[in-house]
Amino acid sequence: QVHLVESGGGSVQAGGSLRLSCAVSGDTNSRRRMGWFRQAPGKEREGVAALFLGGVSTYYADSVKGRFTISQDNAKNTLDLQMNSLRLEDTAIYYCASGGLARSGSWYEAPNFIYWGQGTQVTVSS
C-alpha cells in the first residue's frame, strides 16, 4: 500500500510558476515508478511527467517539455513538479501516482500506476 498526498496547487496567471509536491509513504516496491498526471474538465486524464527508479528514466509529455521539471527527494519522501511558464491549457486537477512492476504499455502510461493521490487543482488565468 502507498499513500500519496498532493499539495501546492492554486491559481496563477499565465506565465507564472507553481510547485506541486506529493508526500509519499508506504511500500517501496510499489514506488518504482512515480508520476504526475492531470485531468482537465471534459478531457481524458493525461500523463505529465514520470520517473522510473528515481531517475533511471524520465518522461515528459510534449506539451510540458522545457517548462515542467519532475524531481524526487528520497530524504523527504516527496515527489515534486516544478511548473514554469504556465499556460491556460495547463489548468487541470493534478494527480500524483505510483506503481511497481510494469503492467501494460509504456512504463510511464497510467495502467502501470496503481496508487493515486486525491489531486490538487491548478488554475491558470489570463
Side-chain angles (χ1 to χ4, degrees):
Q1 186 80 13
V2 176
H3 191 52
L4 305 165
V5 180
E6 302 96 336
S7 62
S11 298
V12 65
Q13 288 191 322
S17 298
L18 279 176
R19 186 176 184 87
L20 304 183
S21 187
C22 175
V24 184
S25 61
D27 177 25
T28 55
N29 287 327
S30 297
R31 291 153 57 176
R32 295 184 182 188
R33 66 199 75 232
M34 301 292 302
W36 287 95
F37 294 78
R38 67 186 181 187
Q39 187 165 22
K43 295 187 177 181
E44 293 187 355
R45 179 182 57 192
E46 64 171 342
V48 175
L51 290 173
F52 181 66
L53 293 180
V56 170
S57 296
T58 307
Y59 164 80
Y60 290 99
D62 288 343
S63 59
V64 306
K65 282 180 181 177
R67 301 188 298 122
F68 290 12
T69 303
I70 188 172
S71 61
Q72 191 169 348
D73 188 328
N74 292 324
K76 296 181 179 179
N77 285 323
T78 60
L79 180 74
D80 297 328
L81 185 68
Q82 178 65 42
M83 305 186 295
N84 299 327
S85 302
L86 283 161
R87 304 170 180 170
L88 298 179
E89 56 265 36
D90 294 319
T91 294
I93 298 175
Y94 284 70
Y95 299 91
C96 174
S98 75
L101 296 176
R103 302 173 81 184
S104 68
S106 299
W107 68 268
Y108 49 82
E109 293 181 338
N112 296 303
F113 293 80
I114 57 176
Y115 295 102
W116 296 79
Q118 82 288 350
T120 186
Q121 176 72 47
V122 172
T123 302
V124 184
S125 60
S126 58

